Amino acid sequence: MGFLLQSLCDAIQLILRLDHELLGALSTTLRVSISSTAIASAIALPLGFLMALREFPGKRIVLGFLRTALALPTVVVGLFVYAFITRHGPLGNMQLLFTQTAIVIGQVLLIIPLITALVHSALQEGVRVVYEEATLLGASPFEASWKVLVEARLAVVTALMTGFGRVVSEVGVSLLLGGNIRGLTRTITTAITLETSQGSFSVAFALGVILLSLVLLVNLVIQATSSRSEAV
Amino acid sequence: MRLNLSSFTLFLHLSLLGLVLLTAGCGGGERADQLVIRMATTTSTANSGLLDHLLPEFQKDTGIRVEYLAMGTGRAIKHGRNGEVDVILVHAPPAEEKFVQDGFGVKRIPVMWNDFIILGPPDDPASISGSRDAAAALARISESRKPFISRGDDSGTHKKEKRLWELAGINPAGEWYVEAGQGMGACLAMANDKLAYVLTDRGTYLSMLEKLDLAVVFEGDSALMNPYAIIAVNPKRYPDVKYKEVQRLIEWFTSQRAKSLITDFRVNGEQLFHLFDE
């Protein structure tokens, strides 16, 4: 028990001292996760929106596929992308493996289904009413879509934040595709893996505390948005 | 119907739970009347298959079963320091001596050695193959700024690599020096993909030979020798370690029988571990 407390105390000190390695892992994590959430959103938001607005043959199958993909194992995504970008793979000559770009690619694929499904199920009910109302009032399709998004901003923010929370805390994609290279692709989660395997529990704990705070912050943002939209 | 379904799943869960408890109970009973010691060792002895070649024979001779945990040497020694294992089999002499000096280990008993080699692209772009010694070879890599993959995980191989850089008088840094922070296999895969240089133990190299495009570009320097030692965790520090059984293991490891088993051990047709008096 004393050992655990000691490690935790050391961890807090490391954080307060703004340890260089900790900050490095944090900034890599933020850069990679924000990029992948932004790219995935740019694809998944319109996709989820269209899926909620339009009927098309095979929609149920696509939805079923999306729901399955919610539980997509990170290592399988990692493996799949790895096979494509390894030197012998189809995209091998781009030399992407073990770079931040590789992690972003994997994470984008990981959360596109997640964000699409969340946006779709959030918009499902009201989307057509709001959209048609807006078009009747003379709004262009773009303006009408914007109106829907504004109406449903809580759901949209929640979807994006859920996606961010998933990539920030995943380890399979980051480790397989990034390779845990110090100062380049070492994220908080892969650093925790390394430090624990070396028995450096204080550093691992410090990283864990930072990661938890990050996830907590994300949840606070979601809650703040929800309480504000309830007030409106 | 809904109720039926959920009570069915409840039943399913309960029976699964029962099954798990039952198997756990059986496992426990089996262990109790058998002597078991726990060993922390390096990935090289475990992944090469050497331990699975030796330990069943030890069990046949003595009835003692050895459970081993494979990890980097740094972590293996830490498990020893924490008294979480009874014995360690590792390869980092300075760290081992410190382990004994600090009173955590009883005595360092040399067992065998294998060697490190430097792998690189077959065309050897930094032309290190003619180097005088291993340190000179690393110096050439650093001058050429061709990529080099470092374990960066405080393992025995990483300690050896740091020692060689010290000998070369170089503090490696820059984009060419990639600190992977992963195991030997993962680092070889990374070196293979980036066509980089990498320091590895010969065993891991041989076990991955078919998957690698890299070639052995430097070998044979005495500085690349990799000695393994076995050390009992000190019963004065941790009274509940199985010191008596560990002593039998150490005696066995230095016996003629174990020695011939070690020299007979082959990976891809090559002898992997050598004895000191060979």
Side-chain angles (χ1 to χ4, degrees):
Chain A
M1 207 49 212
F3 156 77
L4 191 66
L5 277 180
Q6 186 59 49
S7 303
L8 273 173
C9 289
D10 292 347
I12 306 279
Q13 283 185 353
L14 277 173
I15 296 174
L16 292 180
R17 228 187 296 139
L18 297 177
D19 182 81
H20 184 70
E21 296 278 317
L22 296 188
L23 289 184
L26 176 63
S27 83
T28 305
T29 302
L30 285 179
R31 187 180 316 163
V32 167
S33 305
I34 291 174
S35 310
S36 44
T37 311
I39 296 172
S41 309
I43 301 166
L45 259 180
L47 223 57
F49 180 76
L50 281 178
M51 298 237 352
L53 192 65
R54 303 254 182 265
E55 290 301 327
F56 55 89
K59 183 169 170 175
R60 285 179 72 93
I61 298 173
V62 175
L63 280 175
F65 174 76
L66 277 181
R67 287 204 186 99
T68 316
L70 290 185
L72 213 52
T74 55
V75 282
V76 175
V77 176
L79 166 71
F80 184 73
V81 177
Y82 192 111
F84 265 83
I85 63 177
T86 183
R87 194 158 47 79
H88 295 299
L91 304 176
N93 51 7
M94 296 175 73
Q95 299 199 339
L96 288 172
L97 195 55
F98 307 124
T99 61
Q100 291 190 355
T101 315
I103 307 183
V104 171
I105 294 173
Q107 291 187 339
V108 165
L109 292 178
L110 181 70
I111 58 168
I112 281 180
L114 177 70
I115 299 181
T116 309
L118 286 176
V119 169
H120 167 260
S121 65
L123 295 183
Q124 217 172 0
E125 313 213 326
V127 61
R128 224 164 297 171
V129 184
V130 178
Y131 187 85
E132 276 158 17
E133 222 170 29
T135 17
L136 278 179
L137 290 173
S140 71
F142 182 78
E143 285 166 342
S145 310
W146 180 248
K147 188 149 174 48
V148 172
L149 282 184
V150 170
E151 286 285 311
R153 62 190 177 280
L154 163 65
V156 171
V157 171
T158 307
L160 300 195
M161 283 298 171
T162 309
F164 182 75
R166 176 111 163 103
V167 292
V168 112
S169 55
E170 70 82 29
V171 64
V173 167
S174 301
L175 192 60
L176 278 179
L177 301 178
N180 191 30
I181 296 172
R182 183 172 171 219
L184 183 67
T185 56
R186 187 162 297 169
T187 63
I188 296 180
T189 53
T190 63
I192 290 179
T193 315
L194 172 69
E195 298 298 344
T196 309
S197 77
Q198 284 179 229
S200 323
F201 295 109
S202 324
V203 184
F205 273 134
L207 289 159
V209 169
I210 295 178
L211 188 58
L212 277 177
S213 320
L214 205 59
V215 177
L216 187 71
L217 198 71
V218 168
N219 270 306
L220 286 179
V221 171
I222 296 180
Q223 279 190 1
T225 338
S226 84
S227 59
R228 194 146 35 121
S229 60
E230 267 161 30
V232 172
Chain B
M1 189 58 206
R2 201 185 172 87
L3 191 75
N4 275 344
L5 195 69
S6 64
S7 55
F8 176 69
T9 41
L10 184 68
F11 169 74
L12 210 75
H13 279 115
L14 280 178
S15 34
L16 260 177
L17 185 69
L19 202 68
V20 169
L21 287 177
L22 202 67
T23 14
C26 289
E30 201 177 34
R31 267 188 200 181
D33 54 3
Q34 197 183 28
L35 292 166
V36 178
I37 51 183
R38 279 158 67 88
M39 170 199 270
T41 185
T42 70
T43 42
S44 45
T45 50
N47 292 357
S48 62
L50 176 75
L51 288 179
D52 293 333
H53 177 69
L54 294 178
L55 295 177
E57 298 298 318
F58 172 68
Q59 189 173 355
K60 252 187 246 164
D61 293 355
T62 62
I64 302 171
R65 194 156 63 91
V66 181
E67 291 180 349
Y68 63 84
L69 307 147
M71 56 194 72
T73 288
R75 186 171 162 216
I77 292 180
K78 247 178 202 147
H79 277 297
R81 288 187 95 93
N82 293 337
E84 288 152 348
V85 293
D86 304 305
V87 61
I88 61 175
L89 174 67
V90 292
H91 61 110
E96 289 159 20
E97 262 143 36
K98 187 162 188 319
F99 177 68
V100 173
Q101 263 168 22
D102 293 351
F104 292 103
V106 176
K107 188 168 181 251
R108 179 176 175 272
I109 314 279
V111 175
M112 61 194 179
W113 62 274
N114 69 356
D115 65 342
F116 289 108
I117 49 183
I118 301 178
L119 301 183
D123 60 343
D124 190 14
S127 55
I128 70 164
S129 62
S131 306
R132 183 167 28 90
D133 53 31
L138 287 191
R140 285 195 189 174
I141 296 174
S142 123
E143 278 157 28
S144 74
R145 310 198 83 70
K146 296 281 179 254
F148 179 91
I149 311 289
S150 165
R151 287 281 293 272
D153 65 347
D154 200 34
S155 58
T157 311
H158 186 217
K159 286 180 204 282
K160 169 66 88 179
E161 182 213 313
K162 283 192 284 194
R163 180 86 195 101
L164 291 174
W165 285 117
E166 246 171 64
L167 283 174
I170 292 169
N171 182 19
E175 213 173 296
W176 61 276
Y177 187 71
V178 179
E179 292 178 70
Q182 292 196 78
M184 198 68 254
C187 287
L188 287 191
M190 190 182 283
N192 196 54
D193 204 87
K194 286 184 174 277
L195 285 174
Y197 288 96
V198 61
L199 177 77
T200 175
D201 64 284
R202 193 183 290 272
T204 312
Y205 164 66
L206 287 176
S207 66
M208 287 178 67
L209 193 60
E210 283 145 35
K211 295 171 221 146
L212 297 178
D213 304 323
L214 303 174
V216 180
V217 284
F218 188 86
E219 61 183 327
D221 180 4
S222 64
L224 292 179
M225 199 162 131
N226 182 26
Y228 287 78
I230 192 165
I231 308 173
V233 173
N234 199 339
K236 283 186 200 141
R237 182 77 69 151
Y238 296 106
D240 53 346
V241 293
K242 306 214 172 65
Y243 184 57
K244 232 189 290 168
E245 288 79 11
V246 168
Q247 268 184 313
R248 295 190 66 186
L249 178 72
I250 293 177
E251 272 165 35
W252 188 86
F253 251 93
T254 46
S255 71
Q256 207 47 55
R257 174 158 156 72
K259 281 180 176 172
S260 54
L261 283 169
I262 291 172
T263 48
D264 286 348
F265 181 64
R266 294 278 186 284
V267 173
N268 276 339
E270 264 193 67
Q271 179 179 344
L272 210 53
F273 294 94
H274 306 265
L275 304 171
F276 289 100
D277 47 8
E278 204 176 304

